[in-house]
């Protein structure tokens, strides 16, 4: 019996992984104003609550896996850097293990989600898959031969910071033209806003959030109504997303790329044109090495599944 914990900036969730499914999820608020020691204590008691909620004696829990934001040294289970919480070199696995009295393993939250989708979600059919999460940034993880690929000192697989446009837009990481500047929900919103300013007559203005703001859905919805400006935004967005995906696929050649995050809810409206961009740009044809683009299926549970699976792979 393994417990997975998904640690976020505002809260942490936990559940047991039993026979390939998660038991009842339990949740707790977390805060960056707590010390790392206090957060570890909170997570340890959350793990006990998860076992209790599942009706599992805590003694049967073999290990705890945590998916954490930030740069993680997964070999030691330390959070090397998590700027939101101001954490530097926090020995998270060690601290949680002290209070939980179980072995604890930590990986990056994006890697955990990739592992979760690969083993329990959209990637179950594949040995090799890449999760690309389209959210505030572009996160993701790489699964090769059924195993998580983290790079040296788990510092790799930062797919959002692959440059797709040299001297392009400035990224939060300091480089210019990163994949996530164009392919994230933030990137799409930015492109939509620019198009709206240039073409106030377009139907984009009819698909705003109730607050009057542009969302990641605005351009897709207006495009479906036949608005040419919106269609242009969607085409540009998909071209950028496809550029990055084709790069990843040409280097790593997974059997599938799994799209997660809010924009993946567009389903075939996104997937169909995306395949038309990616497939002709593959160096080795998909007739020889079949390749698919699919949507994630686990939603917010991917990280919990993956955190538990990560611990399971380590014990
Ligand atoms: Zn970057």
């Amino acid at each position: 019996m393994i417990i997975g914990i998904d640690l976020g900036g505002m809260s942490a969730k936990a559940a047991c992984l039993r026979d390939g499914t998660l038991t009842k999820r339990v949740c707790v608020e977390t805060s960056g104003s707590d010390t790392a020691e206090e957060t570890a204590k909170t997570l340890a008691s959350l793990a006990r609550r998860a076992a209790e909620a599942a009706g599992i004696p805590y003694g049967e829990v073999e290990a705890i896996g945590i998916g954490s934001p930030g740069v993680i040294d997964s070999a030691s289970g330390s959070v090397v850097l998590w700027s939101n919480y101001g954490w530097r070199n926090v020995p998270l696995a060690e601290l949680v293990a002290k209070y939980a009295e179980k072995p604890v393993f930590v990986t990056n939250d994006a890697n955990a989600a990739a592992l979760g989708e690969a083993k329990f979600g959209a990637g179950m059919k594949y040995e090799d898959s890449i999760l690309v999460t389209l959210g505030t940034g572009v996160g993701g993880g790489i699964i090769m031969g059924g195993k998580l690929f983290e790079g040296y000192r788990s510092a790799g697989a930062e797919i959002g910071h692959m440059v797709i446009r040299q001297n392009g837009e400035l990224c939060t990481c300091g480089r210019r033209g990163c994949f996530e500047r164009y392919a994230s929900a933030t990137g799409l919103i930015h492109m939509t806003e620019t198009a709206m300013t240039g073409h106030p007559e377009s139907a984009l203005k009819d698909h705003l959030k109730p607050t009057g703001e542009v969302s990641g859905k605005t351009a897709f919805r207006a495009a479906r109504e036949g608005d040419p400006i919106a269609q242009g935004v969607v085409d540009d967005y998909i071209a950028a997303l496809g550029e990055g995906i084709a790069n990843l696929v040409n280097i790593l050649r997974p059997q599938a790329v799994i799209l997660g995050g809010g924009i993946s809810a567009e389903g075939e409206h996104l997937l169909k044109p995306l395949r038309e961009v990616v497939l002709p740009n593959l160096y080795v044809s998909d007739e020889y090495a079949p390749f698919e683009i699919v949507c994630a299926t686990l939603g917010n549970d991917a990280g919990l599944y993956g955190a538990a699976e990560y611990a399971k792979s380590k014990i």
Side-chain angles (χ1 to χ4, degrees):
M1 202 66 64
I2 311 282
I3 290 176
I5 296 179
D6 184 8
L7 175 60
M10 318 274 282
S11 67
K13 292 178 293 179
C16 299
L17 183 63
R18 179 165 56 191
D19 304 327
T21 52
L22 291 179
T23 59
K24 192 173 175 224
R25 286 78 163 156
V26 293
C27 189
V28 69
E29 278 184 19
T30 54
S31 163
S33 57
D34 289 346
T35 65
E37 185 98 21
E38 283 165 343
T39 301
K41 216 185 275 185
T42 303
L43 297 180
S45 80
L46 183 69
R48 289 177 201 270
R49 270 177 54 212
E52 200 183 314
I56 294 162
Y58 190 68
E60 287 179 18
V61 173
E62 294 165 84
I64 297 169
I66 301 175
S68 168
V71 178
I72 310 299
D73 176 8
S74 59
S76 67
S78 296
V79 179
V80 177
L81 179 68
W82 180 15
S83 39
N84 250 8
Y85 269 28
W87 284 8
R88 262 178 192 279
N89 299 316
V90 168
L92 186 63
E94 192 186 309
L95 289 174
V96 176
K98 184 169 83 178
Y99 295 106
E101 300 170 292
K102 301 286 178 189
V104 177
F105 303 92
V106 184
T107 186
N108 169 271
D109 52 1
N111 285 339
L115 195 56
E117 283 292 344
K119 297 289 180 177
F120 303 97
M124 280 170 79
K125 295 192 283 189
Y126 315 111
E127 279 285 290
D128 307 314
S129 64
I130 301 176
L131 176 69
V132 178
T133 305
L134 310 171
T136 311
V138 172
I142 299 167
I143 310 295
M144 289 282 129
K147 291 205 173 82
L148 182 62
F149 171 83
E150 297 180 291
Y152 178 56
R153 300 197 75 188
S154 33
E158 291 293 347
I159 63 173
H161 301 285
M162 159 180 59
V163 169
I164 61 166
R165 291 199 193 146
Q166 202 173 11
N167 300 317
E169 290 191 41
L170 187 62
C171 181
T172 52
C173 75
R175 295 183 82 193
R176 282 187 176 275
C178 285
F179 186 32
E180 78 167 33
R181 291 296 295 130
Y182 304 91
S184 61
T186 313
L188 173 59
I189 289 168
H190 181 67
M191 288 158 76
T192 308
E193 285 169 345
T194 306
M196 253 176 77
T197 307
H199 300 273
E201 77 289 357
S202 81
L204 288 166
K205 63 181 180 310
D206 304 329
H207 298 277
L208 304 175
K209 292 200 276 190
T211 53
E213 291 164 282
V214 168
S215 78
K217 298 187 177 89
T218 302
F220 276 95
R221 284 186 178 162
R224 282 205 281 283
E225 281 189 357
D227 184 84
I229 300 301
Q231 190 59 53
V233 173
V234 168
D235 291 348
D236 288 349
Y237 173 74
I238 289 174
L241 178 59
E243 187 93 323
I245 289 176
N247 290 346
L248 289 169
V249 176
N250 281 337
I251 296 168
L252 295 158
R253 198 47 184 247
Q255 293 160 284
V257 161
I258 302 167
L259 297 180
I263 293 173
S264 69
E266 299 297 332
E268 282 300 315
H269 294 290
L270 172 67
L271 296 182
K272 191 168 172 287
L274 183 59
R275 290 184 192 112
E276 285 164 12
V277 170
V278 173
L279 293 182
N281 285 312
L282 297 185
Y283 187 75
V284 180
S285 86
D286 67 310
E287 280 166 29
Y288 169 72
F291 165 73
E292 293 179 61
I293 307 177
V294 296
C295 286
T297 57
L298 298 179
N300 291 332
D301 282 338
L304 274 179
Y305 274 104
E309 175 64 25
Y310 186 75
K312 196 174 131 202
S313 74
K314 295 292 170 186
I315 55 174

